[in-house]
Amino acid sequence: MTMTPEQAAWFQGTFARLVDNVDRALQGKRDVVGLVLSSMLAEGHVLLEDAPGTGKTSLAKAIAATVQGTSTRIQFTPDLLPSDVTGVTIYDQNSHTFEFHRGPVFASIVLADEINRASPKTQSALLEVMEESRVTVDGVAHETGRPFLVLATQNPIEQAGTYKLPEAQLDRFLIKTSIGYPDLDVTATILAGAAERNPSARLSPVITTSAVADMADLAASVHVEPAVLRYIAELVEATRSDSAIRLGVSVRGALAMVRIAKVRAAAHGRHYVLPDDVKALARPVWMHRLLLDPEAEFAGTTPETVVIRVVDQIPAPQARAAV
Protein backbone atom coordinates (compact mmCIF):
# COMPACT_ATOMS: atom_id res chain seq x y z
CA MET A 1 0.00 0.00 0.00
CA THR A 2 1.35 3.40 -1.02
CA MET A 3 1.77 6.21 1.50
CA THR A 4 -1.04 8.78 1.45
CA PRO A 5 -0.53 12.58 1.48
CA GLU A 6 -1.92 12.67 5.04
CA GLN A 7 0.58 10.08 6.20
CA ALA A 8 3.37 12.01 4.48
CA ALA A 9 2.37 15.17 6.36
CA TRP A 10 2.43 13.26 9.68
CA PHE A 11 5.82 11.76 8.82
CA GLN A 12 7.23 15.20 7.99
CA GLY A 13 6.10 16.65 11.32
CA THR A 14 7.38 13.71 13.36
CA PHE A 15 10.73 13.67 11.54
CA ALA A 16 11.18 17.40 12.18
CA ARG A 17 10.55 16.86 15.91
CA LEU A 18 13.14 14.07 15.95
CA VAL A 19 15.74 16.31 14.34
CA ASP A 20 14.91 19.21 16.68
CA ASN A 21 15.32 17.01 19.75
CA VAL A 22 18.66 15.49 18.69
CA ASP A 23 19.95 18.90 17.64
CA ARG A 24 19.52 20.12 21.23
CA ALA A 25 22.44 17.85 22.18
CA LEU A 26 24.39 18.19 18.93
CA GLN A 27 24.02 21.87 18.19
CA GLY A 28 24.26 23.35 14.70
CA LYS A 29 24.39 20.03 12.82
CA ARG A 30 20.81 19.61 11.58
CA ASP A 31 21.87 18.35 8.14
CA VAL A 32 24.02 15.58 9.62
CA VAL A 33 21.34 14.68 12.17
CA GLY A 34 18.77 14.48 9.38
CA LEU A 35 21.02 12.20 7.33
CA VAL A 36 21.68 9.84 10.23
CA LEU A 37 18.01 9.69 11.22
CA SER A 38 17.11 9.04 7.58
CA SER A 39 19.56 6.14 7.54
CA MET A 40 17.97 4.72 10.69
CA LEU A 41 14.48 4.94 9.17
CA ALA A 42 15.81 3.37 5.96
CA GLU A 43 17.17 0.60 8.23
CA GLY A 44 20.73 1.21 7.14
CA HIS A 45 23.98 2.08 8.92
CA VAL A 46 26.33 5.06 9.03
CA LEU A 47 30.09 5.44 8.72
CA LEU A 48 31.37 8.64 10.32
CA GLU A 49 34.85 9.63 9.21
CA ASP A 50 35.75 12.44 11.55
CA ALA A 51 38.34 13.86 13.87
CA PRO A 52 38.16 13.04 17.60
CA GLY A 53 35.97 15.20 19.82
CA THR A 54 33.33 16.23 17.29
CA GLY A 55 30.34 14.74 19.09
CA LYS A 56 29.98 11.22 17.71
CA THR A 57 29.17 9.68 21.09
CA SER A 58 26.78 12.53 21.88
CA LEU A 59 24.99 11.90 18.59
CA ALA A 60 24.50 8.20 19.35
CA LYS A 61 23.24 8.88 22.89
CA ALA A 62 20.94 11.68 21.72
CA ILE A 63 19.28 9.49 19.08
CA ALA A 64 18.81 6.66 21.57
CA ALA A 65 17.25 9.05 24.10
CA THR A 66 14.98 10.54 21.43
CA VAL A 67 13.51 7.17 20.41
CA GLN A 68 13.44 5.63 23.91
CA GLY A 69 16.07 3.14 22.81
CA THR A 70 19.29 1.76 24.21
CA SER A 71 22.79 2.76 23.21
CA THR A 72 26.15 1.04 23.57
CA ARG A 73 29.69 2.04 22.71
CA ILE A 74 32.29 -0.46 21.51
CA GLN A 75 35.86 0.78 21.53
CA PHE A 76 37.54 -1.16 18.75
CA THR A 77 41.14 -2.15 19.49
CA PRO A 78 43.57 -4.63 17.89
CA ASP A 79 42.96 -7.19 20.67
CA LEU A 80 39.15 -7.04 20.48
CA LEU A 81 37.60 -10.44 19.69
CA PRO A 82 34.46 -11.12 17.62
CA SER A 83 32.74 -12.54 20.73
CA ASP A 84 33.40 -9.22 22.50
CA VAL A 85 31.08 -7.66 19.92
CA THR A 86 28.39 -10.24 19.27
CA GLY A 87 28.30 -12.20 22.52
CA VAL A 88 29.21 -15.73 23.56
CA THR A 89 27.55 -18.98 24.61
CA ILE A 90 28.51 -20.09 28.15
CA TYR A 91 27.77 -23.40 29.88
CA ASP A 92 25.76 -23.00 33.08
CA GLN A 93 26.83 -25.71 35.53
CA ASN A 94 23.74 -25.25 37.67
CA SER A 95 21.16 -25.73 34.92
CA HIS A 96 23.42 -27.89 32.75
CA THR A 97 22.49 -25.83 29.71
CA PHE A 98 24.25 -23.42 27.39
CA GLU A 99 23.18 -19.80 27.73
CA PHE A 100 23.82 -17.02 25.25
CA HIS A 101 25.23 -13.86 26.80
CA ARG A 102 24.48 -10.96 24.50
CA GLY A 103 27.26 -8.66 23.41
CA PRO A 104 27.10 -4.86 23.13
CA VAL A 105 25.86 -5.12 19.53
CA PHE A 106 22.39 -5.82 20.94
CA ALA A 107 21.19 -2.23 21.30
CA SER A 108 19.09 0.25 19.38
CA ILE A 109 22.07 2.49 18.62
CA VAL A 110 25.55 0.93 18.53
CA LEU A 111 28.55 3.25 18.37
CA ALA A 112 31.45 1.27 16.89
CA ASP A 113 34.24 3.68 17.76
CA GLU A 114 37.39 3.61 15.61
CA ILE A 115 36.23 0.49 13.79
CA ASN A 116 39.35 0.41 11.64
CA ARG A 117 41.54 -0.27 14.70
CA ALA A 118 40.17 -3.80 15.09
CA SER A 119 41.51 -6.77 13.15
CA PRO A 120 39.69 -7.83 9.97
CA LYS A 121 38.37 -10.90 11.84
CA THR A 122 36.66 -8.71 14.42
CA GLN A 123 35.44 -6.25 11.80
CA SER A 124 33.78 -9.15 10.00
CA ALA A 125 31.75 -9.89 13.13
CA LEU A 126 29.61 -6.90 12.18
CA LEU A 127 28.89 -8.04 8.62
CA GLU A 128 25.99 -10.37 9.36
CA VAL A 129 24.35 -8.19 11.98
CA MET A 130 24.56 -5.09 9.76
CA GLU A 131 23.04 -6.91 6.80
CA GLU A 132 20.40 -9.04 8.52
CA SER A 133 19.92 -7.44 11.98
CA ARG A 134 20.74 -10.72 13.69
CA VAL A 135 23.69 -12.60 15.15
CA THR A 136 24.26 -16.32 14.68
CA VAL A 137 26.27 -18.01 17.44
CA ASP A 138 26.70 -21.80 17.55
CA GLY A 139 24.07 -22.15 14.85
CA VAL A 140 21.40 -20.19 16.72
CA ALA A 141 20.15 -16.86 15.36
CA HIS A 142 19.50 -13.98 17.75
CA GLU A 143 17.56 -10.94 16.49
CA THR A 144 18.68 -7.44 17.42
CA GLY A 145 15.23 -5.89 17.18
CA ARG A 146 14.14 -2.60 15.63
CA PRO A 147 15.38 0.04 15.30
CA PHE A 148 18.97 -1.05 14.88
CA LEU A 149 21.59 1.47 13.80
CA VAL A 150 25.35 1.00 13.71
CA LEU A 151 27.28 4.28 13.89
CA ALA A 152 30.84 3.33 13.03
CA THR A 153 33.64 5.88 13.24
CA GLN A 154 37.14 6.06 11.88
CA ASN A 155 39.82 8.72 12.19
CA PRO A 156 40.83 10.09 8.76
CA ILE A 157 44.14 11.47 10.05
CA GLU A 158 45.75 8.91 12.35
CA GLN A 159 46.39 5.70 10.38
CA ALA A 160 49.05 4.03 12.54
CA GLY A 161 47.84 0.68 13.85
CA THR A 162 44.69 0.64 11.73
CA TYR A 163 43.23 -1.87 9.26
CA LYS A 164 41.59 -0.48 6.15
CA LEU A 165 37.94 -1.45 5.83
CA PRO A 166 37.45 -3.82 2.88
CA GLU A 167 35.14 -2.79 0.05
CA ALA A 168 32.59 -5.47 1.01
CA GLN A 169 32.25 -3.95 4.46
CA LEU A 170 32.16 -0.36 3.23
CA ASP A 171 29.32 -1.36 0.90
CA ARG A 172 27.21 -2.33 3.93
CA PHE A 173 27.13 1.23 5.21
CA LEU A 174 24.17 3.08 3.75
CA ILE A 175 25.90 6.46 4.00
CA LYS A 176 29.28 7.88 4.87
CA THR A 177 29.41 11.36 6.30
CA SER A 178 31.13 13.51 8.93
CA ILE A 179 29.92 15.77 11.72
CA GLY A 180 32.71 18.31 11.47
CA TYR A 181 33.60 21.08 13.88
CA PRO A 182 30.88 23.57 14.94
CA ASP A 183 31.08 27.18 13.82
CA LEU A 184 32.29 29.98 16.09
CA ASP A 185 28.92 30.95 17.58
CA VAL A 186 27.90 27.34 18.29
CA THR A 187 31.30 26.64 19.84
CA ALA A 188 30.83 29.59 22.21
CA THR A 189 27.38 28.25 23.16
CA ILE A 190 28.80 24.79 23.82
CA LEU A 191 31.55 26.25 26.01
CA ALA A 192 28.96 28.20 28.01
CA GLY A 193 27.36 24.89 28.95
CA ALA A 194 30.63 23.09 29.63
CA ALA A 195 29.46 22.04 33.11
CA GLU A 196 26.91 19.73 31.49
CA ARG A 197 28.88 16.58 30.71
CA ASN A 198 26.05 14.62 29.08
CA PRO A 199 23.68 16.85 27.04
CA SER A 200 21.61 13.86 25.91
CA ALA A 201 20.60 13.16 29.53
CA ARG A 202 18.20 16.12 29.50
CA LEU A 203 16.47 15.02 26.30
CA SER A 204 12.91 13.75 26.54
CA PRO A 205 11.79 10.93 24.25
CA VAL A 206 9.83 12.01 21.18
CA ILE A 207 8.58 8.59 20.09
CA THR A 208 9.00 4.96 21.08
CA THR A 209 11.13 2.35 19.36
CA SER A 210 8.01 0.61 18.08
CA ALA A 211 6.89 3.91 16.52
CA VAL A 212 10.28 4.17 14.80
CA ALA A 213 9.70 0.74 13.28
CA ASP A 214 6.26 1.92 12.11
CA MET A 215 7.86 5.00 10.52
CA ALA A 216 10.38 2.80 8.73
CA ASP A 217 7.57 0.63 7.36
CA LEU A 218 5.64 3.73 6.32
CA ALA A 219 8.66 5.21 4.54
CA ALA A 220 9.09 1.97 2.61
CA SER A 221 5.63 2.55 1.09
CA VAL A 222 6.62 5.84 -0.59
CA HIS A 223 6.01 5.67 -4.34
CA VAL A 224 8.92 5.69 -6.80
CA GLU A 225 8.15 6.25 -10.47
CA PRO A 226 9.73 3.78 -12.94
CA ALA A 227 11.46 6.76 -14.56
CA VAL A 228 13.17 7.62 -11.27
CA LEU A 229 14.22 4.00 -10.77
CA ARG A 230 15.72 4.01 -14.27
CA TYR A 231 17.47 7.30 -13.47
CA ILE A 232 19.12 5.67 -10.44
CA ALA A 233 20.13 2.68 -12.57
CA GLU A 234 21.66 5.00 -15.19
CA LEU A 235 23.66 6.86 -12.54
CA VAL A 236 24.93 3.58 -11.10
CA GLU A 237 25.89 2.32 -14.55
CA ALA A 238 27.72 5.57 -15.26
CA THR A 239 29.90 5.12 -12.15
CA ARG A 240 30.90 1.67 -13.38
CA SER A 241 31.89 2.88 -16.83
CA ASP A 242 33.73 6.01 -15.67
CA SER A 243 37.38 5.92 -16.75
CA ALA A 244 38.58 6.95 -13.27
CA ILE A 245 36.80 4.09 -11.49
CA ARG A 246 37.93 0.50 -10.90
CA LEU A 247 34.86 -0.47 -8.91
CA GLY A 248 31.55 1.32 -9.33
CA VAL A 249 28.36 1.38 -7.29
CA SER A 250 26.96 -2.07 -6.56
CA VAL A 251 23.35 -3.23 -6.75
CA ARG A 252 23.29 -2.94 -2.96
CA GLY A 253 24.28 0.69 -3.37
CA ALA A 254 21.45 1.29 -5.84
CA LEU A 255 18.94 -0.33 -3.47
CA ALA A 256 20.29 1.80 -0.62
CA MET A 257 19.59 4.92 -2.68
CA VAL A 258 15.99 3.88 -3.25
CA ARG A 259 15.44 3.21 0.46
CA ILE A 260 16.87 6.47 1.76
CA ALA A 261 15.35 8.54 -1.06
CA LYS A 262 11.95 7.30 0.10
CA VAL A 263 12.72 8.50 3.63
CA ARG A 264 13.89 11.89 2.36
CA ALA A 265 10.73 12.31 0.32
CA ALA A 266 8.54 11.50 3.33
CA ALA A 267 10.60 13.82 5.54
CA HIS A 268 9.77 16.61 3.07
CA GLY A 269 6.05 15.80 3.22
CA ARG A 270 5.85 13.94 -0.08
CA HIS A 271 4.48 10.47 -0.76
CA TYR A 272 6.61 10.15 -3.91
CA VAL A 273 10.32 10.39 -4.73
CA LEU A 274 11.71 13.12 -6.98
CA PRO A 275 14.99 13.07 -8.95
CA ASP A 276 16.13 15.90 -6.66
CA ASP A 277 16.03 13.45 -3.74
CA VAL A 278 18.49 11.23 -5.59
CA LYS A 279 20.76 14.15 -6.46
CA ALA A 280 20.83 15.39 -2.86
CA LEU A 281 21.81 11.96 -1.53
CA ALA A 282 24.25 10.87 -4.25
CA ARG A 283 27.42 11.87 -2.44
CA PRO A 284 26.80 10.45 1.06
CA VAL A 285 25.26 7.25 -0.34
CA TRP A 286 27.74 6.49 -3.12
CA MET A 287 31.13 8.10 -2.54
CA HIS A 288 32.43 5.44 -0.16
CA ARG A 289 31.42 2.66 -2.55
CA LEU A 290 33.73 3.82 -5.36
CA LEU A 291 37.22 2.43 -5.84
CA LEU A 292 39.40 4.76 -7.84
CA ASP A 293 41.90 3.80 -10.49
CA PRO A 294 45.40 4.44 -9.03
CA GLU A 295 46.43 6.72 -11.90
CA ALA A 296 43.26 8.79 -11.59
CA GLU A 297 43.73 9.03 -7.83
CA PHE A 298 47.33 10.14 -8.30
CA ALA A 299 46.10 12.81 -10.72
CA GLY A 300 43.84 14.24 -8.01
CA THR A 301 40.51 12.63 -8.81
CA THR A 302 38.31 11.89 -5.80
CA PRO A 303 35.14 9.82 -5.42
CA GLU A 304 33.27 13.07 -4.83
CA THR A 305 34.34 14.54 -8.18
CA VAL A 306 33.24 11.34 -9.94
CA VAL A 307 29.80 11.38 -8.30
CA ILE A 308 29.33 15.06 -9.13
CA ARG A 309 30.41 14.45 -12.73
CA VAL A 310 28.03 11.53 -13.15
CA VAL A 311 25.09 13.47 -11.69
CA ASP A 312 25.84 16.38 -14.02
CA GLN A 313 26.14 14.14 -17.09
CA ILE A 314 23.01 11.99 -16.71
CA PRO A 315 19.81 13.94 -17.45
CA ALA A 316 17.15 13.64 -14.77
CA PRO A 317 13.63 12.58 -15.81
CA GLN A 318 10.76 15.03 -15.74
CA ALA A 319 9.45 15.25 -12.20
CA ARG A 320 5.98 13.76 -11.71
CA ALA A 321 3.84 13.99 -8.60
CA ALA A 322 0.94 11.85 -9.73
CA VAL A 323 0.56 8.48 -8.00
Side-chain angles (χ1 to χ4, degrees):
M1 186 176 178
T2 304
M3 176 187 283
T4 64
E6 294 76 19
Q7 289 173 324
W10 173 84
F11 192 105
Q12 181 183 27
T14 305
F15 187 87
R17 289 192 292 121
L18 292 174
V19 174
D20 290 341
N21 203 55
V22 176
D23 192 55
R24 290 172 57 197
L26 198 77
Q27 301 176 35
K29 297 296 180 180
R30 292 184 62 85
D31 290 343
V32 177
V33 171
L35 261 180
V36 175
L37 287 174
S38 295
S39 298
M40 180 181 68
L41 293 173
E43 300 191 291
H45 307 286
V46 178
L47 178 61
L48 293 174
E49 188 172 78
D50 224 331
T54 51
K56 298 181 287 292
T57 302
S58 296
L59 175 60
K61 289 182 177 180
I63 293 176
T66 298
V67 302
Q68 280 190 340
T70 56
S71 67
T72 56
R73 178 179 179 273
I74 309 172
Q75 180 62 55
F76 279 69
T77 56
D79 60 347
L80 192 73
L81 299 175
S83 58
D84 296 329
V85 176
T86 60
V88 64
T89 301
I90 298 177
Y91 182 73
D92 189 330
Q93 293 183 348
N94 293 324
S95 62
H96 302 289
T97 58
F98 287 94
E99 293 183 357
F100 177 65
H101 291 242
R102 296 189 169 199
V105 78
F106 287 90
S108 305
I109 313 296
V110 179
L111 179 63
D113 209 5
E114 295 186 297
I115 186 174
N116 56 335
R117 288 203 176 278
S119 66
K121 182 177 181 179
T122 302
Q123 290 179 17
S124 67
L126 284 174
L127 295 182
E128 180 192 13
V129 69
M130 288 175 62
E131 187 71 17
E132 303 178 24
S133 297
R134 68 180 184 185
V135 171
T136 302
V137 178
D138 295 331
V140 180
H142 306 272
E143 303 290 334
T144 60
R146 301 170 71 193
F148 175 63
L149 172 67
V150 174
L151 276 172
T153 73
Q154 61 180 6
N155 190 332
I157 305 300
E158 189 178 344
Q159 298 300 323
T162 63
Y163 300 85
K164 183 180 179 182
L165 298 183
E167 282 69 29
Q169 187 164 347
L170 285 172
D171 201 34
R172 281 171 167 78
F173 288 100
L174 196 150
I175 66 166
K176 177 183 175 182
T177 187
S178 62
I179 298 175
Y181 292 116
D183 60 31
L184 182 61
D185 293 336
V186 173
T187 301
T189 302
I190 293 173
L191 294 178
E196 188 176 24
R197 299 295 299 271
N198 184 16
S200 61
R202 59 182 165 84
L203 298 183
S204 300
V206 174
I207 58 176
T208 62
T209 52
S210 60
V212 173
D214 292 339
M215 287 184 72
D217 292 336
L218 189 59
S221 68
V222 170
H223 179 75
V224 187
E225 283 283 326
V228 176
L229 292 175
R230 183 170 181 83
Y231 176 56
I232 294 173
E234 289 174 347
L235 290 172
V236 168
E237 183 64 30
T239 65
R240 298 169 185 167
S241 59
D242 192 284
S243 59
I245 296 297
R246 288 178 56 199
L247 183 67
V249 176
S250 65
V251 175
R252 183 189 284 116
L255 291 170
M257 174 60 78
V258 174
R259 283 159 44 206
I260 195 170
K262 288 182 176 184
V263 176
R264 186 181 190 274
H268 284 75
R270 286 182 276 107
H271 58 290
Y272 53 87
V273 173
L274 294 176
D276 286 345
D277 295 319
V278 178
K279 293 179 180 179
L281 295 165
R283 279 182 281 182
V285 175
W286 285 340
M287 282 195 307
H288 63 288
R289 304 175 194 270
L290 301 179
L291 184 61
L292 292 172
D293 180 82
E295 292 186 6
E297 188 173 13
F298 183 75
T301 303
T302 65
E304 183 176 12
T305 58
V306 173
V307 171
I308 292 173
R309 180 166 65 224
V310 165
V311 170
D312 289 341
Q313 288 176 349
I314 304 299
Q318 186 68 31
R320 290 179 56 188
V323 175

